[in-house]
Structure formats: structure tokens, C-alpha cells
Amino acid sequence: MNIAEPTSAVQTVYLNDYQQPAYWIDKTELEVDIYSGETFVRSRLTMRKNSSIEGAQLDLHGEGLELLEIAIDGEPLSEERYVQGPSVLSLTPETEKFVLETKVRIEPEQNTSLEGLYRSRTMYCTQCEAEGFRKITYYLDRPDVMSDFTTRVSADKSRCPVLLSNGNLVEAGSLDNGRHFATWHDPHKKPAYLFALVAGDLAKVEDSFTTCSGKQVALEIFVEEKDLGKCDHAMQSLKKSMQWDEQTYGREYDLDIFMIVAVDDFNMGAMENKGLNIFNTSCVLASPTTTTDAGFQRVEGVVAHEYFHNWSGNRVTCRDWFQLSLKEGFTVYRDSEFSADMGSRTVKRVEDVSLLRTHQFAEDAGPMAHPIRPSSYMEISNFYTLTIYEKGAEVVRMIANLLGPELFRKGTDLYFERHDGQAVTTEDFVRAMADVSGRDFSQFDNWYNQAGTPELTIVDAYDENAREYTLTVSQYTPATPECAVKKPFHIPLRMGLIGEAGELALTLADEIAEDLPEDNTDRVLEVTQTTQSFVFHNVPEKPVPSLLRNFSAPVKLKYDYSRDDLCAIVMRDSNGFTRYEAVQSLCMAAINDAMAAGEGGRFVLDERLPRVYRSLFAQAELDQAMFAYMLTLPAEGYIAEQQSEIDPQAIYQARSKVKSALAQALAGELEQTYRALSVDVEYSADAESIARRSLKNVCLSYLMDQPSDATLELCKTQFETATNMTDEIAALTAMVMSENAKAQAAAAVALSDFYVKWRDEALVVNQWFALQARNPAAGGLKRVNDLLQHEAYDSSNPNKIRAVIGGFCGGNTPNFHSLGETPEQGGYAFLAQQIQQLDAKNPQIAARLLTPLTRWRRYAPAYSQAMRSQLEALLEMPSLSPDCYEVVSKSLA
Ligand code: TRP
Ligand code: ZN
């Protein structure tokens, strides 16, 4: 055997280099024999030359595999016949059709990357997306190679009574030495990234679903015995998702069984493996006493997301990983619409938009910015981003809104029908939409190929004599790493005009009023050029424009609203989203005032903000969840996005000042509302109950800003008597996050009681970790280091890492951005040290933790330099993973 030179430099992969594979794998037969400490994988691949590709060389992916046997058509290959590199096995078969057999040895127990086959607590499980299958066996590990999989798993019967893989169970039985086996066959061809295998000691909850054509599907959720009581919500969510996908998209499930397995150690939320979804426990398990409302909603959303992938991802899959948003953007759009239908549509929209603006916009403005269809990457794991997922969903949403529900459904029907069983591109998706509608979506290419958030600047003019109102819209998109000068985007701008007495009818220059529908106060303007004007006729008064209703495009809107304009929108706009947005803008104005006043300066709250809130408190018909969001000040990340140079401490201080000022100004309303909503009713996770709790707890967080003794007692009482985790942890959070000394003292006691009460519930302990990591009080670095030493901490569990390190670095501005006296001190140095340690174990998680440092260029000099020097030190590390190398090197470029 020849050993190829190891490649030291990290390689960049380009979309333009895409070529079909040289071989297809028609059939994949695996035998996975699990023993304590080692696992043997036999693979039998029925292969066929792809006649459209020249050259007969076969390059199989394989990483960390110990090759024990290799044969073609039953003939063992002599060592001259193949070359083995660190990540490829090359050979040149002599025939067009053949069977390639290999046997490899792997060590799942030693696999800390949580990619490939690994052990998590009591079970063996797999994670193959994107390129983890190559850590299990030699293969063409790319999504355009789709194969028919048969998998035989064997293991010790007492250690691993449950043996699962994709598809249907075809055979099971006993073997010698206390072992047993199970053989699974998946009738649907699939790429290797959708392969899954689970072996372990698991209990299950069973249910069933009858599909629209009358087929019975067995539904099974596998968890550790102790968690059996926490599966009901996931099961109900699964059944709702199955029904919704039939009703909304005409998509029926296609196997006799659908399984979900919950694992504790998992790099992401969940994975859509065909017929055998694998979930992070945090996205399956839910019970009122241990799970917050947000947790319940996350379970529902993630169960739906993974289920919906069965069509958008599995039946129709991606040609290559540049197409990742084809399945992720579309599936996020689908799960978001599902959640909107299950709860409140406007509330869900506000949540999605907040996530996008706080985190995706920052990504789009940083060194890792990339289009939703990137054209190059070093490590694909780094591209499971908010851009691919959330911005990708926004682009699908724009298409859906431009087409309207009926045409969009026709478009998705055509897409699923045309491409069933294929591995396709985002262009194929857009083509189906164009074909059913006759619409020209060619300018949408720019949304797919250009990174960056467009800035939409709007100026208006009213001509009293001509009764004409003109909106002039210009778009500009800042340069991003892949492209400096941007072509204009096709931007749907949904809008209305607000007059003194209500909304005005809209008649554009070339329209005749009589031809327009009666309710004609809401419109989508299609902005396609760099600058464009829209002239409205018969406008009786100078209106206040209601712009970007429902956040109709993922852009930054710049219109010079006065505070009185914003008040008019809050009070008179019919669109819930723009009303929310106007309140947020009033808050932003107040925060800017506080920032302008400076640290020691006197800040006076403009009275229009509390006045608006007072009138909202009085509006009985206002959705309580909506009001809770309106009362929540813009997140620090969102505020940072608005600054030309970020001073994180100044942002934190300004936001706190506004919060205190509001707490004072609204004390009466806040307390009254809190008391009115504090009635103990049995827990239910329906939208209305969630809304009530969220409004109540937002009020509590204000009341705890500078609490009286009586208020502090109220909060302690809520903490001690709560019968659900939402209220319990909200009270605890209010104490911890308060800057008041008495509140902090109460928090210390409550935190230790909480741990004693919940120490056996890992997911609750994670919330407890995250809350302390976010504690803004001085001394945070010492506290976070103590948390890392805590008995319940586990440095190989991603949920715990995210709670403590992620919580501190992403959610604790005063402490994370404390610089320390030397470069070895301070929050940034802490993060760099943690990354260095984690990178050797789990590069995917290490690379994700880097995010806060990558934005260094946006910060004021002292912060900026300190972040940069940590990145430079990381780059010097000899053994940096490709994952971290890509992020660090691009950040410094
Ligand atoms: N496809 C998964 C989803 O539904 C994402 C995912 C799960 C993933 N685990 C992963 C991606 C590990 C990369 C690595 O969104
Ligand atoms: Zn997904």
C-alpha cells in the first residue's frame, strides 16, 4: 500500500469546480458490529461507473479508519492496487460495474467530535451531516451519491437491547456470546449524510398516525428510561406536523415507521436522518415543571423542522453543500409557518425577525459573511449559519409572498414532483416557482449569490396642491468579503399610508381608483432598481408611511421618522408588525439619548415612550405576547448593529438606564398588570397561556430593577411557589439580572436552593448554568471559572459548553467585554483559552464559540485590539482544526 503525502494546508472548495461523481453507488450493505471499545464496519458497495465522467479513478472518502480488508468482486486487493491518504482512499477499478468490499475498525468510545459513530452516555449513535459518514466507512460521501441502504447492526444484548437504523426492520435475532442483531432496509435512495444508527439501552413511547391516504404509521420516541414522562409534547408536535404537511403542502409520510431518538451529547439541535431522526435531548424532552415556555416552543418547532425535511431535504435533496439553503432555508420557512399556524402569526414573525436582525445581520456585516448560496468554503460545518437558515427562509418567504398562497403551493407541488429522488440546486427551486407563475425571478439570483444586508433608504415628499405623495426608495449594500460592488436586489416593500383618521386608500400613478379593490390600504411595492420613485395620487393629507410591513424583506430600513410619527404608527397602524417596530424605534431613540448623555451624564427619558406604553397597557384587545415583546427593549446585539463603532459597555449602560427609567415611569401599570396576571392556573403550553406568562414576567423583570421590599417578596414568592419552570426561572432570572443589592443577595440564596432542587435534571441544570454565566454583576470571570469547576459541568457536553461559555461570551456584556490589566486577563483571553482546549476535542463546537471574537473590527479601539490579539494567538496554534482555522484566518484577513 502507498501512503500519500499528508496535506497540511486547509483546502478551499469551490462551487465552480463541481463535477458529478465518477461512480454511483446503487446499493450499500453495511454490517456494523459494536464491541466494547471497538467497532467493525463491513461495507459492500454495488458500484457503477458514471459514463458522463472521464477517467476511472475512484476516490473514496475516509477519515480515521483502520482498513482491515479490501476486495473487488470478492478478490482481495493487493497493496499496489490502492493509495491510502489521510482522508482519501484511491483505486482504479478495472470494470464499469463491480462490488467493492471493505472492512474497517473504528473506536466510537474515543470519538469526542460527535461526528460519525460515537458514544453518548448509555448509547451509540451517529451524526453524519455534513461529512461524518466518512468517519464510519470508506464511501463517496457527497449528497449527489444516493444509494439503497441495508444495515445490519450487532451488539451485546444487555448493553444495547435496542438496535436501530433507517427504514423498516427486516430481520432481528440472537447471536452467540450474548449478542444480537437487527437488519434495517431503507427503500428510499438517500445520500450518506442521512444515514443513522443507534444502539443502546433505551425506553420508548409509542403512538401512531394515519396518513391522508389511510396508511398507519408507527411513531416511536426513544429516550433514557428516566425521561419517559417527558415525551408527550414532542409526540403531539410530531402528529400536528404530519397533519399540517399534508394539509398545507400535500406531503404524506412515506415509511411505515418514524422514530426519534433523544441524545444528550449533540452538536446541534437535531438531525433529519431518514425515518430515524436524532435529537438533542433539549429539543425533545419537555414537562411543565422542568421546561420553560420557550423550551416547549423549541421542541414543537424542531420536531416540525426535522419532520418537514422528509420532503424538503430527503426526498428532494441537495446536489452539493453549496446548496445547503435549498433544504435549510425552505425547511425553516416551513417550520416557521407551521409555528405561526399553531400559535400567533404576528408574534412568530416578531420572534423570527428579532433573531435575524440581532444575529444574522451581524454575521452579514462580519468577516464570515456569505451568500445564502456560498461559492466557496473550507469547512462546511462552518456554514450551518443564520444566513443559510434564517436569511434563506426569508428569501423563500419573499418568493411565497410574491406568488400568493395558491401559486406558491403549485410551485412547491411542481418542485417536489419534478425533483423527487433527485439531488438538486437552488436554481431548480426558483425555476419551479417561475414555471408555475410565469414570473421572472431572475433578479432573485442576487439574493442567492450576494452576501450583505441591503440598506433601504426612503425619503418622501407631499405635494399639497397636486395631492400627490412620493416615496423615493434607494438601496445600497455594503461590501462583503466575496463581493465589493452589489447588483440591486428585488425587494418587495409592503406598505401603507396613515392619515389623521386612519389608513388612506392607495392609488399609484398608472392606476385608476375604480379598478382597485375596496380595501385598498395595503400594498407591496416591488423595488428592483438602485433608486426608484413611487407616486401616489389623491392623497388628501400628508401621511405617515407604514413601511416594511411584516418585515417583507430582509433589509435595514432607513426612514427619518420623528417620534410623533412613530407614536402615530403605534396608535393607528393596522399592521401588528409595524406597530411593534415603531415601539422598538422609540426605544432605540431613548437608548440613543442615554448613550449621548454618556456614563455620568444626566439622562431624561423622553415622555412619549412611557406615554405610548401607558396607552398600550390600557388596550384590552392587544395580544399579551405582542405587548410583552413591545415592552422588551432591543437586544444589545441589535443596538450594536446600529452603531458605527461598538462600545459594548456604553450600550449595556444605556440600555440599563432606559430600563430603569421606564421601570420608574410605569411602576403603577407594571405592578397592576403583574398582580392581575399572577393567578395560579394549571400549566398549559397554548399560545394564550404562554402570552399571559410572558407579559407577567416582563413586568416582573422591570419591577425588580429597583424593587421595594414588598416587590422583592413578590418575586421570592413566585420563585418558591411556582408550579412551572417558566415562572420559577423567570423569578430567579429577575433576581439575578437585577443590579439591586438586595435582589442580588436574594439571588444567591435562590440559586443554591434551585440547584439542590434540580440537580438530577440535566436540562434544568443547564438553564441554571446559563443564567449564572449571564449574571452581569462584577466578578463574572471568577464566577464563570467556578462554574467550569462545578460538579455538574461536563466539558464534553455541547449543551453545557453552550450554557456556560456561550452564555458568558454571548450574554454577559459587562464581564465578557472586561479587558483586564494584561492581555492574559479579561473575557477575550478566557474565551481564547477555552477554544484552544475544546478545539482538540470538538472542532465544530470550538469554531462556533469563536463568533464573538470575529466581529472585532466593529468595536472601539481598546476592545478591537484586545480581540484581535487573541485571534492572532489562536492562529499561531500548531494544531488548529480546519474548522477554527477557517474562522480565525478569515476574521483576520
Ligand atoms: N440538518 C440539521 C438540521 O435540521 C442540522 C444538523 C444537525 C447538523 N446536526 C448537525 C449540521 C451536525 C452540521 C453538523 O438543521
Ligand atoms: Zn434543517
Side-chain angles (χ1 to χ4, degrees), residues 12 95 132 147 155 244 266 327 421-422:
T12 300
T95 53
S147 187
W244 187 89
F266 201 70
K327 73 175 176 82
Q422 297 177 0

Side-chain angles (χ1 to χ4, degrees), residues 178-200:
R179 294 176 62 82
H180 69 150
F181 77 97
T183 305
W184 294 80
H185 175 243
D186 182 355
H188 300 278
K189 283 196 161 202
K190 64 167 177 293
Y193 84 85
L194 291 172
F195 171 81
L197 177 159
V198 171

